[in-house]
Amino acid sequence: MAVLEVLKGKTPGRFVEVQTERTVFGRHPHCQVVLENAAVSRYHAQILDVHGDFFIEDLRSRNGTHVNESLVEGRRELKNGDVVRVCDFAFRFLATPPTDTQLLKPGVLLEGGVLVGPTRAFEDPAEDSPNNNDEAEGTFDSRSEEEDRSSIISTLDAGGSSSDLRLSVKPETKLKAILEITKVLAGSLGLSQVLDKTLEGLFRIFPQADEGFIMLREEQQKKLVVKATKTRRNTDADDQVHISMTIVRKALETSEGILSENALEDSRFRASESLSSLQIRSMICAPLVSRERGPLGVIQITTNDVGAQFRNEDLDLLISVAMQVALAVENAYLYQKALKQRDMERDLEFATQVQLGFLPHSRPKLPGYEFADYYEPAQRVGGDYFDYIQLPHGRIAVALADVAGKGVPAALLMARLYSAVRYHLISQPDAAAAMTGLNAEISTSGLGHRFITCLIMIIDPESHQLTLVNAGHLSPLRRDSAGQVTPIGAVESGMPLGILANQKFHQMKYDLQPGESWLVFTDGVTEAMRSAKEIYGNKRLTEFFAKSPTKIDETVKEVVADVGAFVEGRPQSDDICMVGFQRLP
């Protein structure tokens, strides 16, 4: 069992267990080690357990990850005693924890903004998911039910509030019913189990009952569905429960309990042919009412014994039970919603990891050149894309694109773009032909009206020449050794990919002088918003690039910081992607 010893922060000497195959560090609350510091990226770095060997990988963070003060590029194996530094936080990796080590439990918040332990997005749902069936299910705690009961009862308008329940009901009978339902709620995981046991308890309380059922309103179809039934008949030949929708509809419409001592002679139901045919003698029906959702369904108990009609106190008792069942049903719906949300979060987390896998794990090692990049989606996944592709004769292709839109649809198209760009760059004779072939593929792929702005640059380190093809993307910025910044290729740019299937693209060539730098970016940089009418803009970026540090890596970091200062803490409105390179002096 590997652990991390906290070295730097307000709680040095504490130990964090590396509990899963992937331990993610970052600012986002879904990370397993949450570092609440503005310098830390949302998904900053991760430790991977590969068959007992541990590796650390930087997740394209803004400020990098260091091991023993050495910057991590790509994936690096961790050795016992290595010191991992993430901005202002430092941890020592120990393959085996010291004896008598007190490990931090999941979810413990350390001083200094460190949250340890897997969050809901990383939990294994197999341990606590309900059985896979078509019925809504959930788990309930008797203590929480007991704490919330008074507020639920006070809002149920089924024959009056709890204060209106008649005092003539036998206390021991009412107590027995409530204890029965409380026991069911505390010991059952599924809603169907709760409803079945509720009917069993009601049949013990009402010995004259012949039939009973519980109907619930389906959230999707908005129709009533029988979820549980019970009869006193022991033969299989006639185990069908008779239901009068006249009574059910009236209970739901009025949100009031219904008692009919003699249903066949009740003036309220005389027009109902179903009651006459069903030969229902006496019945009690209580609606299940939710404060938030309104009527959820009904519980109905009937008897055919003309000498054992239901009385007012029976209706009061059924309403008491219905109040608790309504709470159980509402909790089950909320539980199912939480499970779906957790599954969605888990899927998005997996999609985030997949998308990060498409991005380069390291920057090119090209003699005489330096590269820098930054990537941050506005949502969990995004549609911005960049890549470094190694070409024959030592050349490096830099590709950057922006898919229209954001979120999952844009991310799926970005994944396709990743393989398509590589294929066309390797199979076509030059950059212009590669962009032309890429456009033809995107235009005929049935993607609807989505389009992509794309830019491809090929650097030849022998001739120090750059080949540029632009498909409707923002013009890259070129800064010479004197600090003069010029936008490049706006006039020669073609249309975005996916608009004209037969479009032919043209390439431009530029000599790369010693000391000059290039910066390419998506509109998440220039259109970052401080207010509804003020954006960061090309002019501000050009001016900042002109006076930024000489080293391209520092330039990219300072541009990101300047954009963050400009928006004044407002949420990121679009994906941000930036790539820079420099020919060294």
Side-chain angles (χ1 to χ4, degrees):
M1 177 183 66
V3 297
L4 295 171
E5 179 185 3
V6 181
L7 297 180
K8 191 172 181 182
K10 294 185 179 180
T11 56
R14 306 294 293 275
F15 291 87
V16 180
E17 180 181 355
V18 180
Q19 301 181 55
T20 62
E21 294 180 356
R22 185 178 74 254
T23 303
V24 182
F25 296 74
R27 200 175 69 248
H28 199 280
H30 291 138
C31 294
Q32 288 165 299
V33 179
V34 179
L35 307 175
E36 294 182 343
N37 187 303
V40 177
S41 298
R42 287 193 288 180
Y43 296 94
H44 197 103
Q46 63 183 1
I47 293 178
L48 303 172
D49 180 356
V50 182
H51 305 297
D53 295 325
F54 292 87
F55 298 84
I56 189 164
E57 182 178 1
D58 186 80
L59 299 177
R60 317 299 307 175
S61 65
R62 180 172 58 183
N63 293 312
T65 305
H66 295 77
V67 173
N68 302 330
E69 296 307 319
S70 176
L71 183 66
V72 174
E73 292 190 5
R75 184 175 294 182
R76 170 171 173 170
E77 185 173 3
L78 283 175
K79 301 295 185 182
N80 188 53
D82 281 350
V83 175
V84 177
R85 181 169 64 82
V86 177
C87 298
D88 294 334
F89 301 94
F91 307 86
R92 177 182 287 114
F93 175 78
L94 299 175
T96 304
T99 56
D100 300 327
T101 298
Q102 183 178 2
L103 298 177
L104 291 173
K105 301 299 183 183
V108 174
L109 181 64
L110 298 182
E111 297 179 23
V114 184
L115 178 64
V116 179
T119 62
R120 295 291 295 178
F122 290 90
E123 290 178 1
D124 182 3
E127 294 182 358
D128 57 356
S129 293
N131 295 330
N132 185 17
N133 55 44
D134 295 331
E135 306 253 332
E137 295 188 351
T139 56
F140 311 101
D141 184 89
S142 60
R143 290 172 299 173
S144 62
E145 184 276 328
E146 199 67 38
E147 294 166 357
D148 294 339
R149 184 186 306 150
S150 60
S151 61
I152 295 295
I153 288 177
S154 65
T155 63
L156 177 60
D157 186 22
S161 65
S162 59
S163 60
D164 297 327
L165 297 178
R166 296 170 184 82
L167 298 179
S168 59
V169 178
K170 294 181 180 180
E172 61 274 18
T173 304
K174 182 177 180 181
L175 178 60
K176 180 180 179 181
I178 291 179
L179 289 177
E180 287 275 359
I181 301 304
T182 301
K183 181 180 178 181
V184 169
L185 294 178
S188 300
L189 295 177
L191 179 59
S192 60
Q193 196 174 7
V194 169
L195 301 182
D196 288 338
K197 291 188 176 181
T198 297
L199 286 177
E200 290 178 9
L202 290 173
F203 269 54
R204 285 194 292 271
I205 296 167
F206 301 120
Q208 73 270 44
D210 290 308
E211 297 179 350
F213 64 85
I214 299 177
M215 298 184 75
L216 296 181
R217 193 186 300 276
E218 290 283 1
E219 285 193 298
Q220 300 296 331
Q221 293 101 357
K222 300 295 183 183
K223 64 179 182 180
L224 289 167
V225 177
V226 177
K227 292 292 186 179
T229 62
K230 184 172 177 60
T231 68
R232 290 204 186 275
R233 294 182 292 274
N234 295 323
T235 62
D236 296 333
D238 188 22
D239 59 355
Q240 184 178 2
V241 172
H242 305 102
I243 299 173
S244 170
M245 292 306 297
T246 302
I247 297 173
V248 170
R249 280 193 291 266
K250 186 172 183 62
L252 290 175
E253 289 171 2
T254 62
S255 292
E256 295 177 348
I258 296 175
L259 163 67
S260 181
E261 295 181 354
N262 190 337
L264 296 177
E265 297 180 1
D266 198 317
S267 60
R268 295 172 294 178
F269 311 122
R270 238 172 236 166
S272 173
E273 296 181 2
S274 62
L275 274 174
S276 301
S277 62
L278 296 178
Q279 293 296 307
I280 295 176
R281 294 292 182 179
S282 179
M283 65 85 197
I284 45 177
C285 182
L288 308 174
V289 182
S290 163
R291 176 188 297 179
E292 300 294 332
R293 300 170 181 267
L296 301 175
V298 298
I299 301 178
Q300 183 171 309
I301 304 293
T302 63
T303 180
N304 297 325
D305 187 350
V306 69
Q309 295 99 330
F310 293 110
R311 305 297 181 186
N312 288 332
E313 56 267 23
D314 298 326
L315 177 61
D316 286 334
L317 190 54
L318 185 63
I319 288 175
S320 298
V321 172
M323 291 174 181
Q324 296 184 63
V325 174
L327 177 62
V329 172
E330 187 169 25
N331 285 343
Y333 287 154
L334 293 175
Y335 183 71
Q336 288 296 313
K337 184 176 180 180
L339 287 180
K340 291 179 181 178
Q341 181 67 28
R342 186 185 65 178
D343 291 343
M344 184 180 297
E345 289 289 341
R346 185 189 62 226
D347 291 343
L348 282 175
E349 170 58 25
F350 178 72
T352 301
Q353 296 299 322
V354 170
Q355 186 172 50
L356 289 174
F358 283 120
L359 300 179
H361 292 288
S362 60
R363 295 161 186 168
K365 304 296 184 183
L366 200 63
Y369 290 84
E370 282 190 356
F371 293 81
D373 50 64
Y374 178 81
Y375 183 86
E376 184 87 20
Q379 300 176 8
R380 297 288 290 278
V381 291
D384 283 5
Y385 150 85
F386 80 97
D387 198 6
Y388 304 117
I389 302 105
Q390 184 74 48
L391 298 178
H393 310 297
R395 297 174 300 154
I396 289 290
V398 178
L400 186 141
D402 185 359
V403 177
K406 48 184 175 287
V408 173
L412 292 173
L413 189 50
M414 174 270 202
R416 174 168 182 168
L417 193 65
Y418 169 83
S419 59
V421 170
R422 287 177 167 252
Y423 168 76
H424 288 285
L425 276 172
I426 294 173
S427 62
Q428 298 292 346
D430 55 38
M435 189 73 85
T436 301
L438 181 63
N439 175 66
E441 177 182 336
I442 297 298
S443 300
T444 58
S445 59
L447 298 174
H449 299 290
R450 286 191 177 273
F451 63 89
I452 305 167
T453 65
C454 184
L455 186 142
I456 295 176
M457 300 182 296
I458 299 178
I459 302 170
D460 189 336
E462 293 184 2
S463 63
H464 297 295
Q465 197 172 57
L466 180 140
T467 303
L468 172 66
V469 184
N470 193 338
H473 198 78
L474 298 171
S475 299
L477 299 179
R478 179 184 190 181
R479 182 181 67 186
D480 60 25
S481 57
Q484 182 70 30
V485 177
T486 308
I488 299 296
V491 176
E492 296 83 358
S493 174
M495 297 284 286
L497 304 177
I499 295 180
L500 299 175
N502 59 353
Q503 181 178 188
K504 302 295 182 183
F505 290 88
H506 305 282
Q507 62 189 27
M508 300 158 283
K509 292 184 179 291
Y510 301 91
D511 292 327
L512 298 173
Q513 303 299 326
E516 78 173 52
S517 303
W518 286 65
L519 191 66
V520 292
F521 46 88
T522 60
D523 56 9
V525 177
T526 55
E527 295 181 6
M529 301 185 68
R530 177 155 60 191
S531 65
K533 298 181 180 180
E534 188 176 7
I535 62 173
Y536 189 81
N538 288 311
K539 181 180 178 182
R540 182 183 177 107
L541 178 60
T542 301
E543 293 174 351
F544 190 87
F545 187 31
K547 63 183 181 181
S548 61
T550 304
K551 294 190 66 174
I552 192 64
D553 185 61
E554 295 178 7
T555 295
V556 169
K557 289 180 179 180
E558 293 208 5
V559 169
V560 172
D562 191 57
V563 172
F566 175 82
V567 300
E568 297 177 341
R570 287 177 173 80
Q572 185 176 325
S573 59
D574 200 358
D575 305 330
I576 293 178
C577 182
M578 194 182 326
V579 176
F581 68 89
Q582 175 185 43
R583 182 182 174 188
L584 298 176

